[in-house]
Amino acid sequence: MKKNVLIIAILMLSFVVQLSAQESDTIKEKVEWFHAGSKPTSYEMGSVANATSTVSNVLQIKSIDNKIEGFGTMMKTVKANTYLGKMVKMSAYVKSTNVKSWAGLWMRVDYYKEAVLAFDNMRDRPIRKTTDWTKYEVILFVPNEATSISYGLLLDSTGQIMFKDVTLEIIAETAVETGSIKGKVIKKISFEKRARAIGSEIKKITDKEKLALKTAVDSLDKEVENGHMTAAVAKEVKLTKATEHANTIDKKVAIEEAKLNQLVKDQVEGKVEKEKKSSGIILTTGDSNLSIDEDRTEINLTSFKVYNNQEDKLDRRYKRTTSQMVLAMGLNNLVTDQRVQNADFKYLGSHFYEWGLTFNSRIFKEANVLHAKYGLSLMYNNLRATDNRAFAVDGNQTKLEVNPVSYEDSRFRTVSLVVPLHLEFDFSKAKEIDGKQYFKTHDSFRLGIGGYFGANVKSKQITTYDDDGYKARERVKGDFNVNNFVYGLSTYIGYKATSLYLKYDLNPLFKDNIVKQNNLSLGVRFDFN
């Protein structure tokens, strides 16, 4: 009996030691380098293989894809307690090889996940191309409100960087900050934000410990199932682990609750500002980059979009498929026998309009250059005949005839409902917001190639003339032998929302005319994103 008890005790002890060792490895991993970035899988990150004695303890970030629209980083996160109210310097030796875009050291000081108190990533003094071992540094002030410091090295796009001797140290207060966000610039964090952050941290602690306990219990159940442990012993170990995790929750949550109590006390004493919320509606036009407060609504008049808050705006503007309101206008004429010379219509008086809704879908999930653009548009083509002429129908022929009455204006209009289809090349670069990569369209040069097809829905001739001192205006509607269907080619090239736009009807305007005439339009196009 004693022998059995001893064996069970040894098994129980070895299992608890194993669990403790696993937990120790987990804790250790948190203070080691870990991989992150918008495209971490596009890089090889870690120790340099076959390092010589002269380059021992060297780490690297090396691209493994030929083209990368994003970045990879190796980083660490530490608690800010030791560094509060201090000037902190991160330094490292870096060697670069064929860095196409840029690389750099970076450090960020956070108040939980609610606010970035200080930040520098060397974007204003980047490491580029190929360089030998050089020491670089970033310097930030850590405000007393800080909760964590994250730091590391990053490589954007392709190339390789090797680095060593990474240090984080407190330096003299007289040092100059290098950050794009200065820690010494006072940032007032409202009571609501602080309370929300502490509440989130308490939930994070609780969820983490519950997950760890569940993992341990599942492991114990497997040991029992495999016959490596009795159910009675497993039950005792489960109770022990449950007590340990409960104590951990109590200990860590007590720290956060103390912070919350102090926050409430400071708020009552007027030491903490309340969150200033602005409400109401903002009217904007064009490609507005205005940041919206939580309780405000933005109405963009040109794109006919309504954003309820900044998060809603980011989510909708940077998703894979976006929508645009299209407005186009310009000159229109007929190509007769493949020529527009000596046209029967006024060059400046004949024009076109188009307005519609398009959808723009990024074809590749992680690449921004290629898009499919499609939608629905109304096209208005207007022709103003020269020499006091207007269209007249003679059987199946539609001809221009001189009118005995002197016209002040003679205009022929067709209206078409069409589906435009384009392959769009958009050279807008990806943007990083709060560490996340976003793909934005219509933010740089664009080229679209494609066409359209649809139906003619209306034909109308409008003439204005003087009738015994009275101005008369006639509108004649009919089919005028106009083709029921329309299809053609179109292309545009431009920058951001504005493009030069060219379109050509492949089918003639009049279906049975002996002389074939096709609409040709040139103008400007606006895609309001």
Side-chain angles (χ1 to χ4, degrees), residues 465-472:
Y465 55 92
D466 184 77
D467 184 9
D468 292 333
Y470 294 94
K471 182 172 288 189

Side-chain angles (χ1 to χ4, degrees), residues 204-218:
K204 178 182 173 183
I205 292 168
T206 306
D207 291 345
K208 180 182 174 184
E209 293 301 322
K210 285 181 178 179
L211 179 60
L213 177 60
K214 182 180 181 302
T215 303
V217 169
D218 290 343

